[in-house]
Amino acid sequence: MLAVACGGGGGSPRTAGTKPIPPSTSSPAPTSTTLPPGVSVIAQVRAPLAGVFDDPSSAQPKMTFGPTWNLDDDPSKPTVPEVFLVQEQRPGWVRVLLPIRPNGSSGWMHADDVQLSQNPFHIQVDVAAHQITAFNATQAIYQGPVAVGAPATPTPPGLYYTRVLLQTPDPGSVYGPFAYGLSAHSDALTTFAGGDAEIGIHGNNDASALGKSVSHGCIRMDNGAITMLTMMLPLGTPVQINA
């Protein structure tokens, strides 16, 4: 279930009419683990059931993931590819960042259970400066103001990735036209709108909020800019949030 912890009116982006957007394509991963600056590796589950292990020597997985997941645990709803951001590669294994609590959790997966691809895009969010920057490798392709979490519900710092892209049912809502759900969770809220208080990056319905600390933890940005990014960023794109 996905219910991003943003609030401010307008309901949740998982309300009726919301639909996940197919991810942008990315290039096959290089055979070498040495990557050009700014490039990351995405792992997309291709096995019927992929186990996540504490380490390669573990006898049993601590959890499993299928090739897709559902936004509302409702089989009638569209599914989203299950992707992870790769943090380390070893022969036969990959260590991936997990979209679970606590933030920053990771685990090992069999390399044969996932399809690896390289991704030149990444995002940096400077919470103190209320600024977001999107990069293609080392070149900035967008920089602009954002609204971030209020003092009581701060945006959690750390490394995350884009897990789902939603087209909102009402572009005039607080979520704007699009919302990226991240692998991050609020440290201040345990639930939000029936979900686990996931953090997102999305548009807005009040440009005057940009540059302020007013959300429940999500990152609100310019509507035109997020629309542009949806045409480029694949799921699994790294998002570094700095305090």
Side-chain angles (χ1 to χ4, degrees), residues 108-175:
W108 291 88
M109 305 182 76
H110 289 291
D112 289 343
D113 288 344
V114 295
Q115 177 67 51
L116 301 181
S117 59
Q118 61 179 343
N119 173 26
F121 298 100
H122 63 283
I123 290 174
Q124 290 184 3
V125 178
D126 187 329
V127 171
H130 296 88
Q131 182 172 273
I132 189 170
T133 307
F135 294 87
N136 184 345
T138 59
Q139 180 180 1
I141 56 175
Y142 173 76
Q143 187 173 79
V146 291
V148 297
T153 53
T155 300
L159 175 64
Y160 309 106
Y161 64 90
T162 57
R163 192 181 182 209
V164 61
L165 172 60
L166 303 173
Q167 184 171 8
T168 63
D170 178 10
S173 76
V174 69
Y175 298 98

Side-chain angles (χ1 to χ4, degrees), residues 61-98:
K62 59 182 178 180
M63 64 186 67
T64 57
F65 290 88
T68 62
W69 60 282
N70 190 275
L71 298 180
D72 293 297
D73 299 322
D74 182 347
S76 68
K77 298 289 183 67
T79 57
V80 181
E82 188 69 81
V83 300
F84 303 92
L85 176 62
V86 174
Q87 296 183 297
E88 184 181 349
Q89 296 184 60
R90 295 183 188 175
W93 292 89
V94 292
R95 184 168 67 89
V96 298
L97 191 63
L98 298 172

Side-chain angles (χ1 to χ4, degrees), residues 23-26 42 118-121 162 180 229 232-238:
S24 302
T25 57
S26 48
I42 299 167
Q118 61 179 343
N119 173 26
F121 298 100
T162 57
Y180 278 108
L229 293 180
M232 294 185 286
L233 305 184
L235 300 183
T237 292

